Amino acid sequence: MNKPHQIKIVLVEPSHPGNIGAAARAAKTMCIENLVLVNPEDFPSGEARARSTGAIDVLERAMVCQTLQEAIADCTFVVGSSARQRGLQCPEISPDKLGAKVWQELEQGNVAIVFGRESSGLTNEELDQCHYLTTIPANWEFSSLNLASAVQVICYEIYNAFLKRSSDGALVNGSTEEPAQGVSDPLATVEQLENLFGHMQQVLHEIEFFDPKQPKLLMRRLRHLYSRARPTLVETNILRGILSAVQKVKRQTKSLD
Ligand code: SAH
């Protein structure tokens, strides 16, 4: 599975070290070896090592971060895995379609699949950082899988899509696919988009369109809009240039008041 970019399995605040080890093992069986742990409750730990069996190397190389934003900063495609449907949420993608999409997206940048806490899953703010939400079809009365089992199913779909592409010749002969968007400019990373959202919020506040005391859903809706558009770095820089121009005019008018 030689690709220029990486697939990261991100576990947000896992509380049971055994699940971390089992998730490392699950991912490695499917040839995915980049594990990222956001604020784990107990890591490194003997229990994680014991449950990882032959995947201790994956645990030893696991990156530990304090926030989800840090974990996915260098990614251009992020998918949240959730057992539950939410109110205002990003578009959904089924696990099998996700498998194929991941390989297409890897042509353009790093990909992260994000898994939530054992107790409460992912928060809305965390899901807002994702391009898609994926849900493993399960018993509608009992749909929450164990964390490592969910990692296993999603990694299986990704690996299975790799095998299908290989047998179709797409990967064997090098990339024969169009980039995901049909554009040649590199996509903006999560970090570059976060800088855009921060700048946008500041300008919307300065022009009194956004009230931080009554934020409602404005910034979340704008996030979803830009997330669907998949802006390139050049496009992100144009938007930031427009924001800076608005700020300049606003500040000039203010100084005339
Ligand atoms: N009680 C939590 C579920 C936690 S299970 C809740 O209600 O949200 C831990 C994690 O495993 C979830 O956050 C999710 O990332 C993953 N997971 C569990 N079941 C899943 C399913 N059916 N589809 C997709 N992901 C699932």
Side-chain angles (χ1 to χ4, degrees), residues 10-196:
V10 181
L11 308 185
V12 178
E13 301 194 339
S15 50
H16 298 295
N19 279 338
I20 300 177
R25 179 179 179 182
K28 188 174 174 182
T29 57
M30 299 293 132
C31 301
I32 297 174
E33 307 207 350
N34 294 303
L35 188 64
V36 184
L37 306 172
V38 178
N39 212 7
E41 202 170 298
D42 182 5
F43 186 82
S45 97
E47 199 183 337
R49 287 176 74 88
R51 290 285 303 280
S52 72
T53 327
I56 284 175
D57 55 328
V58 174
L59 281 187
E60 283 174 348
R61 273 186 282 110
M63 183 180 147
V64 179
C65 309
Q66 289 315 304
T67 61
L68 174 59
Q69 206 169 312
E70 198 186 330
I72 59 176
D74 64 350
C75 295
T76 53
F77 186 63
V78 182
V79 176
S81 181
S82 171
R84 285 181 293 149
Q85 314 293 315
R86 320 285 176 115
L88 176 67
Q89 65 182 25
C90 44
E92 285 175 43
I93 187 165
S94 64
D96 62 328
K97 291 214 170 70
L98 172 64
K101 177 106 178 116
V102 162
W103 293 102
Q104 206 184 349
E105 291 290 337
L106 280 169
E107 303 287 338
Q108 309 203 69
N110 295 335
V111 170
I113 316 291
V114 183
F115 295 85
R117 300 155 188 81
E118 291 93 332
S119 52
S120 55
L122 293 165
T123 63
N124 283 335
E125 289 66 31
E126 286 158 352
L127 285 169
D128 284 345
Q129 297 181 49
C130 300
H131 292 98
Y132 284 95
L133 173 82
T134 194
T135 300
I136 300 162
N139 181 346
W140 65 276
E141 287 176 310
F142 190 61
S143 63
S144 177
L145 278 73
N146 163 268
L147 172 59
S149 305
V151 170
Q152 184 77 70
V153 173
I154 298 297
C155 290
Y156 163 78
E157 292 289 1
I158 295 172
Y159 186 60
N160 199 28
F162 166 79
L163 294 178
K164 279 190 192 144
R165 281 172 60 113
S166 302
S167 64
D168 291 347
L171 288 176
V172 176
N173 303 325
S175 168
T176 57
E177 288 212 9
E178 289 288 305
Q181 280 193 308
V183 291
S184 52
D185 289 337
L187 291 178
T189 63
V190 167
E191 186 174 31
Q192 289 154 351
L193 286 174
E194 283 303 323
N195 292 337
L196 169 68

